[in-house]
Amino acid sequence: MSARLARTLLVAAIALWVSLVAFGNLTDYGSNWQFVRHVLAMDTIFPGAGIRYRAIHSPLLQHAAYALIIAVEALAGALCWIGAWRMWRARRADAAAFHRAKRIAVAGLSAGLLLWLGGFMAIGGEWFGMWMSTQWNGLESAFRFAAVLLAALIYLGQPDDGPD
């Protein structure tokens, strides 16, 4: 039971973390909006960078990208909350039932991993050259998110023999 409880609480903690990120972006839209705007505009990367043609200057598209980021954060948080609840309800069930209960949590963790690894590190970091910016470089933070989510996915995927 202790491993099941640990997995459930881990998913709940991540649900809280990701939900707070989404909530913060909704209630303090302007703070991270500046980050997204500058990354997409590529206005703080190396002056002679040959990738500047990739920049997005349209405020409409920048706001759409930020809305998509917030939506995926909220989705990841909601899926993790639902997953944690289902895992909690299945904590005394057989191994197959507990494994099935983890599916929604896996979807939530995967959504978060796709956002921070695929969205921030790959698209923001490489496509928009965020790594070149000293002021608007979120790669360290994105890596922290991706590492935690990946570790949680690995831990959640470990075999379970049933309740203690």
Side-chain angles (χ1 to χ4, degrees):
M1 185 68 76
S2 61
R4 287 185 177 189
L5 183 58
R7 287 182 176 104
T8 302
L9 292 175
L10 174 64
V11 171
I14 290 172
L16 176 62
W17 182 29
V18 174
S19 297
L20 289 174
V21 170
F23 179 76
N25 283 336
L26 286 171
T27 59
D28 186 18
Y29 188 89
S31 292
N32 282 326
W33 156 246
Q34 293 304 317
F35 170 84
V36 171
R37 183 177 70 79
H38 285 289
V39 169
L40 295 177
M42 300 173 74
D43 55 4
T44 61
I45 67 170
F46 299 161
I51 63 170
R52 286 185 172 274
Y53 70 90
R54 300 173 185 171
I56 297 174
H57 298 290
S58 164
L60 180 64
L61 292 177
Q62 292 172 344
H63 280 287
Y66 191 31
L68 179 61
I69 290 167
I70 295 169
V72 175
E73 291 168 348
L75 175 66
L79 290 172
C80 285
W81 280 120
I82 294 166
W85 174 246
R86 287 186 177 185
M87 290 165 63
W88 174 257
R89 286 186 17 218
R91 71 190 181 280
R92 292 192 176 101
D94 62 41
F98 188 73
H99 182 72
R100 282 191 305 274
K102 295 189 293 186
R103 288 180 183 160
I104 298 293
V106 167
L109 295 170
S110 297
L113 186 60
L114 288 172
L115 175 63
W116 278 286
L117 178 62
F120 284 94
M121 294 179 74
I123 296 171
E126 294 302 321
W127 183 257
F128 290 105
M130 183 171 58
W131 66 270
M132 292 184 233
S133 176
T134 56
Q135 187 176 4
W136 302 103
N137 186 341
L139 288 176
E140 186 177 316
S141 178
F143 178 78
R144 184 176 57 249
F145 271 87
V148 169
L149 293 166
L150 182 58
L153 273 169
I154 291 169
Y155 183 53
L156 204 59
Q158 297 300 305
D160 181 83
D161 295 331
D164 296 339

